Amino acid sequence: MTSGGLPVPGRARQPADHRQQSTNLADILERVLDKGIVIAGDIRVNLLDIELLTIKIRLLIASVDKAREIGIDWWEHDPTLSSGQRDLAEENRRLRERIGELETGRPAQRDSEDASPHEPVGARERKTRSDG
Amino acid sequence: MADSLVYLYAVGDAALGESLPPGLTGVDGAPVRVIVEGRLGAVVSTVDPVHFDEETLQGNLEDLTWLAETARAHHALVEAVWRHEPVAPLRLATVYLDDDNIHSLLRQRGAAFTAVLDRIRGRREWGIKAFAHGSEDVDADQSADSNLGPGAAYLLRKRMARERGARAQQDVQEAVADLHRALSAAAAASHLYPPQAPQLSGRREPMVLNAAYLVEESEATTFTNAVQTWHSPHVHHELTGPWVPYSFAMLEES
């Protein structure tokens, strides 16, 4: 997949230590998954907020050697310093639910949701995006 | 199932058709080409349904290794293209059945794409993350309560620690507001992201600002100088970029 002479911005500029690499990838994901022009293509996938965040968590966990040791409950201790971080509490609550589901195999209570097994929680509220 | 699918990376001016150097590759190592429609050009590559049809793609997106590689390839291509023409990047994994559908997209949303391009042309995005400094230990004020009984002294210490915490929090908030104000002054627009959780940021200190600034290319030095000269005892900050203006490439609601 490495594409010939294509430069990877950021990589060259930053020291190649492990944490920088992960942070850098997180920065890229933050942009390519959630920013840029959002249009529903012909191929529909549910790449909405909650899944994005789940993916980020997995990214993190994969990048830490002993994921179990850091505990899966780190967000409990997440300091919410500024009022601007209120959303984080809500986000974390939803993430906990989502991870719970992922860990127990598959969707817990989805009876009222429709058929797609990947339909993320919160998909509906997010339909207000510039989706065409 | 279709034999092939078309992955859309970015939209720019029709001039892309001529200015894009040959040999660029995108996700899956596929060669990149330009679909021109009117005054717009779409940067695409043909991809294999084996990786990009609905079912597989959904699964792939959950596969971290695949996701990381694809995100990097998508991003690297967008950066490479930007060096020749300004483009508005599409979100990862925007996939169409065929070229015709991309032609129709460019026709139908042409005005919106043009508006985005006008907003980001000649500008770059810079990212700033700020972190609060850890608060010091609070055992310093023991002398103040020497005449109090142990219970009252304990309560007093608790209260003082709480007040110090609140003050520290306020200092951080004020510093962040000041930083944001200083950088916004050198930027054409800004966008605030939710701060990343410590495990994602890779930092122990809490992230207190996660912002993107849209800056004229000619103002880049002014902006980076503003970043470098700003200091606070309460927070420290880090610069990333310049990026293709992902955070400012949103289509207006029509």
Side-chain angles (χ1 to χ4, degrees):
Chain A
M1 157 93 54
T2 30
S3 36
L6 272 189
V8 179
R11 214 188 238 169
R13 262 188 294 279
Q14 292 176 350
D17 80 85
H18 181 70
R19 191 172 71 191
Q20 280 288 357
Q21 287 263 337
S22 318
T23 306
N24 188 18
L25 181 57
D27 284 343
I28 290 175
L29 287 175
E30 188 170 57
R31 285 177 169 82
V32 304
L33 288 179
D34 204 30
K35 307 298 163 211
I37 292 179
V38 180
I39 304 177
D42 294 333
I43 303 299
R44 305 289 182 120
V45 285
N46 295 309
L47 187 61
L48 300 173
D49 211 18
I50 193 68
E51 255 164 356
L52 159 63
L53 291 164
T54 307
I55 287 164
K56 285 180 173 177
I57 303 296
R58 288 195 183 163
L59 155 70
L60 153 74
I61 288 172
S63 74
V64 175
D65 294 338
K66 296 174 183 171
R68 292 291 160 197
E69 277 183 21
I70 67 169
I72 200 99
D73 63 341
W74 52 265
W75 49 82
E76 299 282 4
H77 317 295
D78 189 44
T80 46
L81 260 195
S82 71
S83 56
Q85 293 198 355
R86 291 258 168 71
D87 289 355
L88 212 52
E90 170 62 9
E91 193 174 289
N92 286 342
R93 187 189 61 75
R94 287 184 295 151
L95 278 170
R96 266 199 300 279
E97 287 175 5
R98 180 70 176 145
I99 286 177
E101 287 174 10
L102 289 169
E103 286 201 327
T104 53
R106 269 293 142 181
Q109 58 264 59
R110 280 293 168 73
D111 304 350
S112 57
E113 304 279 285
D114 52 10
S116 163
H118 293 292
E119 180 80 0
V121 181
R124 260 141 247 245
E125 302 91 277
R126 297 261 308 177
K127 277 295 180 194
T128 51
R129 293 292 287 258
S130 49
D131 194 85
Chain B
M1 188 199 284
D3 290 345
S4 64
L5 296 168
V6 185
Y7 185 113
L8 175 59
Y9 300 88
V11 173
D13 295 332
L16 276 169
E18 273 90 56
S19 63
L20 212 59
L24 292 181
T25 55
V27 299
D28 261 6
V32 166
R33 59 200 171 84
V34 176
I35 296 175
V36 173
E37 172 66 43
R39 300 166 68 179
L40 294 173
V43 181
V44 305
S45 67
T46 303
V47 291
D48 195 328
V50 164
H51 294 142
F52 287 92
D53 80 336
E54 249 163 53
E55 217 169 301
T56 329
L57 183 55
Q58 188 74 62
N60 279 344
L61 290 167
E62 311 253 342
D63 170 354
L64 184 75
T65 311
W66 187 93
L67 178 71
E69 278 181 10
T70 307
R72 283 198 191 280
H74 179 105
H75 174 67
L77 177 68
V78 167
E79 281 285 339
V81 171
W82 179 275
R83 257 170 250 133
H84 302 277
E85 288 286 333
V87 283
L90 273 289
R91 186 170 68 170
L92 188 83
T94 307
V95 182
Y96 286 84
L97 292 175
D98 53 31
D99 285 14
D100 285 348
N101 289 359
I102 294 202
H103 280 286
S104 342
L105 171 74
L106 295 182
R107 273 198 303 275
Q108 282 161 19
R109 308 295 291 273
F113 283 128
T114 305
V116 170
L117 287 167
D118 288 346
R119 180 158 69 237
I120 64 180
R121 191 176 280 116
R123 295 167 164 177
R124 295 282 265 171
E125 173 177 333
W126 295 85
I128 291 284
K129 290 180 167 55
F131 301 87
H133 284 306
S135 49
E136 296 105 51
D137 260 340
V138 286
D139 290 337
D141 289 75
Q142 305 248 354
S143 58
D145 46 54
S146 52
N147 330 339
L148 298 169
Y154 171 79
L155 289 173
L156 180 64
R157 270 203 306 279
K158 288 292 261 191
R159 200 186 71 206
M160 291 175 76
R162 204 164 50 235
E163 283 168 1
R164 252 193 310 274
R167 212 157 46 235
Q169 185 171 331
Q170 197 185 345
D171 288 342
V172 166
Q173 280 174 356
E174 281 168 11
V176 164
D178 184 62
L179 172 62
H180 182 54
R181 210 162 32 237
L183 298 185
S184 297
S190 65
H191 178 92
L192 296 175
Y193 290 105
Q196 293 174 346
Q199 292 296 342
L200 185 64
S201 70
R203 304 285 294 256
R204 185 165 298 144
E205 314 93 307
M207 188 184 290
V208 289
L209 178 70
N210 187 14
Y213 298 89
L214 184 66
V215 178
E216 299 286 346
E217 276 170 351
S218 57
E219 295 291 314
T221 314
T222 312
F223 182 83
T224 52
N225 282 345
V227 171
Q228 276 155 20
T229 52
W230 189 88
H231 286 292
S232 157
H234 308 296
V235 306
H236 57 279
H237 58 297
E238 289 174 356
L239 176 69
T240 64
W243 299 84
V244 170
Y246 284 94
S247 304
F248 305 92
M250 307 296 210
L251 292 186
E252 301 297 330
E253 300 293 332
S254 45

